[in-house]
Amino acid sequence: MNKKKTDLHNENIGSRVMPKVHAAKFPNADDAVHKGLMEKPRDNEAVDILLVNPPTPDGELWIRTQHRVGRRTRENMVWPQVSLAQMAALLHPVYKVKVIDANAERMDWEEFSSLIDTYLPRFYMTQVTGPTLENDMFGCFLAKARGAGTIAFGTHVTPMPRETLLAFPSLDYVLVGEPDLTIRDLIDHKEGKIDQRSPEIQKLFDEHDPDYHPSTNEDGTTKMEGIKGLAWRNCEKIEVNLPRPFIQNLDDMPMPMHELLPLDKYRMPLIKGPFTFMVTSRGCPAGCTYCIKHVSYQYSTRLRSPELLVEEMWQLKEHGINNIHMYADLFTVNRDQVVDLCRLMIKEKINIKWTCNSRVDYVDEEMLNLMGRAGCWYISWGIESANEQILKNVHKGATKEKAMRALQWAKKAGINNWGYFIIGLPGETEETIQETIEFSKQLPLDIALFHVAAPYPGTPFFFEVVKNGWFRPGTRWEQVDMDRETVLDYPGLPAERLLYWQKRAFREWALRPGPFLTYLKMLFSGTSTFKAAINAGIQHLDWTSGD
């Protein structure tokens, strides 16, 4: 018997006495892995800073930019990333910079991830919007896993930097407000290159913030709490530093590095071939409560000189760009600037076709005629509603009469009209929506878009919705989208009805001879626009087919 036990003991180790439970002592590979990440070989393609417009949530085209909100674009507009080109110019040549516009390149996450491996950025900077929030943060996750410091900017993170940093541990920094100088200041401090600023860059810091000084401790290390416009992690605590003053004179900014962008990929309806943006001003003095400008550039209007704008146009022409959108919160904010710019374009015979936006109360007939002569052929108008009380509720400061007059002046000057309307502003009823639909059909519009009111965080409209309990329970940030869904539940006008009226408004406006003729013109205006026009038509039909 003992012999059998001995044999079993020898043959089956599992028959032996079990060892006692000891204190756990797990291997720690953190230091080795971190050292491996930090010491990973960097070849000539590696960059200091990667500025990105990341892949979109569904692989389709989306609109995202520095001081706007995100939305999917059924009209197949490919939105130029001039804000990334501007920040690249502020960082170059001290830092090696690369821009990736994954939206324009129709890039998926697999390809995007591969490029992060290729460029191995020391810092990864992404723009963020509410409707694409978790999607955008996935890019930070990928970059952080490869050893990069991660930075976010935009209208979603500016009003709630703490909540964003708390929710997404892979995000290191948030640039609060105007990001241009903050990104340069942050990287200079982190990389110890404050002394490598050119006189032009140093002038930006000195003249636009009289109290500016480098934020360093006595031993020369960075004092993070002194970098204005920055939210950051101080161990387990989220710190939000003092705000950075706005750049007073936009002429002091370097020219955007448009050459870093995929200029051949940018498209807009009715435009043959590529186009891009050119920033003419920042800020708007109007008080519309729903406007995201309350979060970004606010009321402080700053202009670029006509001379610099024309100089930038000549540079863009060298890159093969002959179509430009004047990108501003309100292009016509200053009559003198617009008039001088148009006269200079005519004088220099620059032969640029351009579009812009405007309010109906910031134009006159003489100015619109001059704009038409200078090459303006499309104006986007924020008309919003036909109901006088709703316009007063949101502090729009315009009237139906002014809208009709301004659009008629534009038509007379040979300029096409693109109208934007908002369904679901405070005070809206099904009767006021029908009033807006009927008015849209009376206006001389070539294109009309109907959005649902979206309470973007930080706007007065957002706080009004919170106060009145109009947010639908269970709302997520991705649902705060002016185009595809809504989070608003008004008494007697729930979200489902707002979306129904949004689609019905577009159908009633679009399914008429005039708009259909405009679509046919876009369809057959050239081979470059044919495919995009067909795709846009299919998307709109699919969108409007379901209520």
Side-chain angles (χ1 to χ4, degrees):
M1 188 72 177
N2 289 336
K3 185 174 184 303
K4 285 186 177 180
K5 282 187 176 181
T6 302
D7 292 343
L8 187 65
H9 181 80
N10 291 331
E11 293 172 4
N12 186 346
I13 294 176
S15 67
R16 299 175 184 177
V17 177
M18 295 293 291
K20 293 181 180 180
V21 177
H22 297 284
K25 188 177 181 181
F26 301 110
N28 186 342
D30 279 340
D31 291 341
V33 171
H34 180 74
K35 188 172 185 291
L37 276 175
M38 294 300 101
E39 295 181 358
K40 190 173 182 179
R42 296 169 58 81
D43 58 26
N44 290 334
E45 290 196 86
V47 301
D48 296 310
I49 305 156
L50 194 61
L51 306 172
V52 307
N53 184 31
T56 62
D58 54 8
E60 298 298 328
L61 294 172
W62 284 67
I63 289 173
R64 278 181 295 195
T65 191
Q66 177 171 319
H67 62 288
R68 298 288 184 187
V69 294
R71 71 174 176 89
R72 184 174 167 181
T73 166
R74 293 188 312 276
E75 61 272 29
N76 280 338
M77 188 183 300
V78 186
W79 204 251
Q81 297 302 308
V82 68
S83 59
L84 300 182
Q86 179 66 82
M87 283 183 276
L90 282 160
L91 295 161
H92 177 81
V94 173
Y95 302 101
K96 189 174 179 181
V97 182
K98 179 73 177 178
V99 174
I100 297 178
D101 186 353
N103 176 70
E105 301 280 7
R106 305 301 288 265
M107 190 181 298
D108 61 20
W109 281 108
E110 182 178 359
E111 183 180 357
F112 185 78
S113 176
S114 176
L115 284 177
I116 298 178
D117 287 330
T118 298
Y119 296 124
L120 284 176
R122 297 173 61 80
F123 296 93
Y124 171 97
M125 183 170 174
T126 182
Q127 56 187 347
V128 179
T129 67
T132 60
L133 176 60
E134 290 185 358
N135 173 84
D136 300 344
M137 287 298 106
F138 182 61
C140 289
F141 168 79
L142 294 175
K144 187 72 174 174
R146 289 155 175 78
T150 54
I151 308 164
F153 71 102
T155 54
H156 183 81
V157 299
T158 285
M160 45 186 181
R162 282 192 177 91
E163 288 300 311
T164 306
L165 285 164
L166 283 170
F168 299 99
S170 60
L171 178 61
D172 295 320
Y173 307 102
V174 166
L175 308 186
V176 180
E178 195 169 52
D180 307 86
L181 291 186
T182 304
I183 182 59
R184 179 64 196 255
D185 206 17
L186 172 64
I187 304 300
D188 280 349
H189 277 86
K190 295 292 291 183
E191 296 295 289
K193 294 184 178 180
I194 297 173
D195 60 345
Q196 295 188 33
R197 292 172 180 169
S198 67
E200 293 78 15
I201 295 297
Q202 191 58 49
K203 178 184 177 183
L204 276 167
F205 284 100
D206 294 340
E207 294 195 1
H208 301 291
D209 182 4
D211 298 325
Y212 175 80
H213 54 82
S215 184
T216 55
N217 297 304
E218 290 184 2
D219 62 356
T221 58
T222 298
K223 188 177 181 181
M224 292 297 297
E225 56 266 34
I227 301 176
K228 293 181 181 178
L230 184 71
W232 55 288
R233 299 179 188 279
N234 186 1
C235 297
E236 298 300 315
K237 185 180 179 183
I238 305 298
E239 303 279 4
V240 180
N241 297 347
L242 291 173
R244 186 175 296 275
F246 288 118
I247 297 169
Q248 298 293 320
N249 186 354
L250 297 184
D251 280 1
D252 289 344
M253 299 270 279
M255 288 284 187
M257 296 182 70
H258 292 282
E259 63 272 20
L260 296 182
L261 302 177
L263 293 173
D264 61 321
K265 297 292 195 302
Y266 297 132
R267 294 291 187 274
M268 181 182 280
L270 296 177
I271 288 182
K272 297 179 182 178
F275 86 112
T276 197
F277 286 168
M278 201 170 68
V279 175
T280 59
S281 65
R282 292 180 175 180
C284 172
C288 308
T289 61
Y290 52 84
C291 183
I292 201 69
K293 76 93 186 280
H294 293 278
V295 173
S296 52
Y297 300 144
Q298 302 176 1
Y299 301 96
S300 57
T301 304
R302 295 152 291 148
L303 309 172
R304 293 179 69 200
S305 67
E307 291 76 18
L308 269 182
L309 292 173
V310 171
E311 181 182 339
E312 186 173 351
M313 288 180 201
W314 284 115
Q315 290 184 11
L316 286 169
K317 285 181 75 73
E318 291 178 2
H319 293 296
I321 301 296
N322 291 291
N323 295 282
I324 292 173
H325 177 69
M326 305 295 188
Y327 191 48
D329 291 309
L330 176 57
F331 171 71
T332 56
V333 66
N334 183 278
R335 188 183 193 278
D336 290 341
Q337 182 210 32
V338 174
V339 168
D340 290 347
L341 174 61
C342 290
R343 287 174 176 163
L344 190 57
M345 292 176 71
I346 294 169
K347 178 183 176 182
E348 295 202 13
K349 299 179 180 178
I350 197 162
N351 193 28
I352 286 280
K353 292 187 68 177
W354 54 279
T355 60
C356 67
N357 68 358
S358 182
R359 286 173 55 98
V360 298
D361 52 352
Y362 271 71
V363 294
D364 58 66
E365 189 171 13
E366 180 185 9
M367 185 175 78
L368 286 168
N369 283 329
L370 187 60
M371 289 167 61
R373 288 176 52 209
C376 178
W377 66 282
Y378 238 112
I379 297 179
S380 301
W381 305 92
I383 301 166
E384 324 311 2
S385 175
N387 184 267
E388 183 178 344
Q389 187 56 53
I390 289 176
L391 293 173
K392 288 181 179 178
N393 291 346
V394 297
H395 301 172
K396 179 66 180 179
T399 64
K400 289 171 56 176
E401 292 72 25
K402 289 181 179 179
M404 180 64 77
R405 184 182 63 181
L407 270 63
Q408 287 176 339
W409 281 340
K411 270 294 180 185
K412 188 177 178 182
I415 301 172
N416 295 313
N417 294 314
W418 186 322
Y420 284 95
F421 299 88
I422 299 178
I423 304 295
L425 292 170
E428 192 84 276
T429 65
E430 300 203 4
E431 288 73 28
T432 60
I433 295 172
Q434 292 177 71
E435 184 181 345
T436 296
I437 295 172
E438 289 307 311
F439 183 56
S440 72
K441 291 188 278 189
Q442 298 168 19
L443 290 168
L445 287 169
D446 298 276
I447 295 179
L449 287 181
F450 296 83
H451 295 300
V452 178
Y456 293 111
T459 63
F461 180 38
F462 168 83
F463 294 110
E464 184 179 3
V465 171
V466 171
K467 178 182 177 181
N468 289 286
W470 293 334
F471 266 115
R472 170 162 281 199
T475 291
R476 297 175 64 254
W477 290 121
E478 283 79 3
Q479 296 172 288
V480 185
D481 185 342
M482 66 173 134
D483 194 53
R484 294 193 301 168
E485 55 185 321
T486 182
V487 298
L488 294 173
D489 263 337
Y490 291 117
L493 196 58
E496 290 80 6
R497 293 301 291 172
L498 290 173
L499 292 172
Y500 161 78
W501 279 108
Q502 178 200 17
K503 295 177 180 180
R504 178 170 167 178
F506 179 78
R507 284 199 302 264
E508 287 199 25
W509 181 85
L511 300 179
R512 299 178 299 126
F516 188 70
L517 181 59
T518 298
Y519 176 71
L520 289 178
K521 288 180 180 178
M522 179 171 65
L523 193 63
F524 296 107
S525 59
T527 55
S528 62
T529 59
F530 183 84
K531 184 178 179 180
I534 288 289
N535 185 270
I538 292 172
Q539 288 193 62
H540 277 83
L541 284 173
D542 181 65
W543 172 69
T544 58
S545 63
D547 294 330

